[in-house]
Amino acid sequence: MPIPEKIEIRQLDLELNGSCNLKCGMCPQANGREKDFLKKLPWPVFEKMIEDAMQYGVQSVSLHGSGEPTLNQDMPQMVRHIKNKGIQCVSFTNGLKLNESLAQRLIEAEIDILRVSAVGYDRESYQRWMSKDEFELVRNNVRQFVALNQRLGGKTQVHLYHLLTNVAQKEQEIQWYRQNWVEPTGALAEIWMMHNWSGGMDAPYDRRNLAGSPQKRSCGRPFSPLLQVRAGGLDSHHGAVVACCMVLGKDSQGVLGHLDSQTIHEVVSGEPYQQLRAAHVEKRFDDIPYCRDCDQLYDFSESLVWTNIPGRVYGESKVAKGIDHRKFGTEQP
């Protein structure tokens, strides 16, 4: 497959920390993560990657990945560094450490969107899925962040993120989530169907069957102007570029290069990246261990269950405006 003449990176998903302080039932972190990917992202590697990505038109940097970003004490300074470059900054957190002090530092750093993963429509279901009885703590943290943000000028959007736990009670679950999370906090929210982490985990329902077992098509991620970067990497490396966010739990299989020692151009034009693209073009999904059983290969617009976030639609990036993955035959990153 020919190497692209022009590389475009509009969205950079950048993990700040590989470990997590929860073991959620719907996340591969619950079963333990490969040791090489439990690292903290060093500041020099972070700075190098931001500078590199700016050459390729990066518009938005999302500080998450698959670990908990608030465990990296440099997070507020990293937000400020990104904003000083004129780039949108988003993050995705479980909210446990989102106390008033951290909230103020993130708001003052001018983070654009803070997404909070709060899976569970009430206290009991939250404890089941998020692994700790911290429903009240996280809800109060979100409420406090929303109120503090309003007092400080209201520049940051707060988005709650829930995954449908029972298809049979979908409408009731939407109602419960709105009553127990959205209305008490004043935050915007979205509810999605669960996915199977590139075949690595069983969800409580099979999205492929819900979609009617359609033919597989490329998820589009290998061709998207999005780069997924882990904090850790193989051996002693940091900044591993992986095929997509879904390879959590099997990160080592999806490594396409390392940005602590390589440039973005070297990784994107490298043989592993091009082999991945060729396999998707030729629909040889079974040749890729982390793609073979992935439910992202099936088009299923109903995976966006409910949202009150303006402009949120199935197929488009939840982070960077204007990246429509449907033209690549994909759903949300």
Side-chain angles (χ1 to χ4, degrees):
M1 185 173 183
I3 296 172
E5 294 182 3
K6 181 181 179 181
I7 295 173
E8 183 181 22
I9 306 295
R10 282 194 274 159
Q11 178 178 329
L12 181 64
D13 283 2
L14 190 56
E15 185 178 61
L16 299 189
N17 180 75
S19 63
C20 190
N21 50 358
L22 288 178
K23 294 185 178 296
C24 303
M26 68 291 178
C27 177
Q29 288 270 18
N31 299 322
R33 193 175 185 187
E34 296 165 293
K35 184 178 179 180
D36 283 338
F37 295 90
L38 292 175
K39 304 168 187 174
K40 171 186 172 181
L41 183 67
W43 181 275
V45 180
F46 161 78
E47 196 170 30
K48 173 183 180 293
M49 289 189 287
I50 297 298
E51 291 299 317
D52 196 0
M54 290 180 67
Q55 300 180 65
Y56 305 107
V58 65
Q59 299 171 0
S60 181
V61 175
S62 181
L63 301 177
H64 64 289
S66 298
E68 173 53 41
T70 60
L71 296 178
N72 187 325
Q73 296 182 351
D74 294 331
M75 182 183 178
Q77 293 96 315
M78 289 173 163
V79 172
R80 170 50 59 194
H81 182 83
I82 292 165
K83 292 299 297 178
N84 284 344
K85 299 292 184 179
I87 303 170
Q88 181 194 49
C89 187
V90 179
S91 192
F92 195 14
T93 174
N94 58 39
L96 257 66
K97 293 178 65 65
L98 196 63
N99 55 30
E100 185 174 5
S101 174
L102 179 58
Q104 182 163 347
R105 292 174 69 198
L106 291 174
I107 293 168
E108 290 178 345
E110 299 184 353
I111 190 168
D112 293 283
I113 301 173
L114 186 69
R115 302 177 64 226
V116 180
S117 177
V119 178
Y121 48 81
D122 59 14
R123 180 175 177 178
E124 181 180 355
S125 63
Y126 178 92
Q127 182 174 2
R128 176 190 173 195
W129 288 103
M130 302 293 286
S131 78
K132 287 185 180 180
D133 184 13
E134 299 291 6
F135 173 82
E136 293 293 347
L137 171 67
V138 174
R139 190 169 68 167
N140 285 336
N141 284 348
V142 174
R143 181 190 295 117
Q144 178 179 257
F145 191 103
V146 171
L148 181 61
N149 176 59
Q150 290 175 344
R151 291 200 300 272
L152 296 177
K155 292 183 178 181
T156 301
Q157 288 189 30
V158 184
H159 297 176
L160 291 163
Y161 180 82
H162 174 60
L163 296 169
L164 187 69
T165 64
N166 188 336
V167 174
Q169 65 177 25
K170 181 178 73 170
E171 295 305 321
Q172 184 67 67
E173 196 164 316
I174 293 171
Q175 181 180 345
W176 287 332
Y177 201 77
R178 295 177 70 174
Q179 290 175 345
N180 293 328
W181 280 102
V182 181
E183 293 170 10
T185 63
L188 298 171
E190 57 190 332
I191 300 174
W192 290 86
M193 290 280 189
M194 288 192 187
H195 51 78
N196 71 359
W197 291 105
S198 68
M201 290 192 73
D202 292 328
Y205 44 81
D206 190 335
R207 283 173 41 156
R208 178 186 58 182
N209 289 336
L210 290 172
S213 299
Q215 292 293 314
K216 291 181 179 179
R217 54 43 170 167
S218 172
C219 68
R221 288 176 174 83
F223 314 101
S224 171
L226 182 156
L227 205 65
Q228 187 78 218
V229 187
R230 300 306 200 205
L234 298 177
D235 302 320
S236 60
H237 285 289
H238 290 86
V241 176
V242 293
C244 71
C245 58
M246 301 296 172
V247 300
L248 177 62
K250 52 182 78 171
D251 290 290
S252 60
Q253 298 179 19
V255 172
L256 305 172
H258 293 92
L259 294 181
D260 60 351
S261 58
Q262 295 175 280
T263 65
I264 289 175
H265 183 274
E266 288 171 339
V267 172
V268 173
S269 61
E271 184 175 354
Y273 211 111
Q274 296 311 307
Q275 287 179 345
L276 173 63
R277 285 179 160 177
H280 272 248
V281 168
E282 298 163 14
K283 296 186 178 180
R284 292 185 287 103
F285 307 119
D286 288 350
D287 292 349
I288 312 168
Y290 50 84
C291 292
R292 184 181 301 123
D293 300 312
C294 183
D295 57 18
Q296 303 295 294
L297 295 175
Y298 302 97
D299 192 28
F300 187 41
S301 61
E302 290 83 359
S303 60
L304 177 55
V305 176
W306 175 87
T307 185
N308 65 350
I309 301 172
R312 175 75 78 247
V313 295
Y314 168 83
E316 292 188 354
S317 168
K318 297 192 291 292
V319 176
K321 297 293 185 182
I323 297 181
D324 187 344
H325 293 273
R326 289 172 295 183
K327 68 182 180 181
F328 305 114
T330 186
E331 63 175 62
Q332 86 280 2

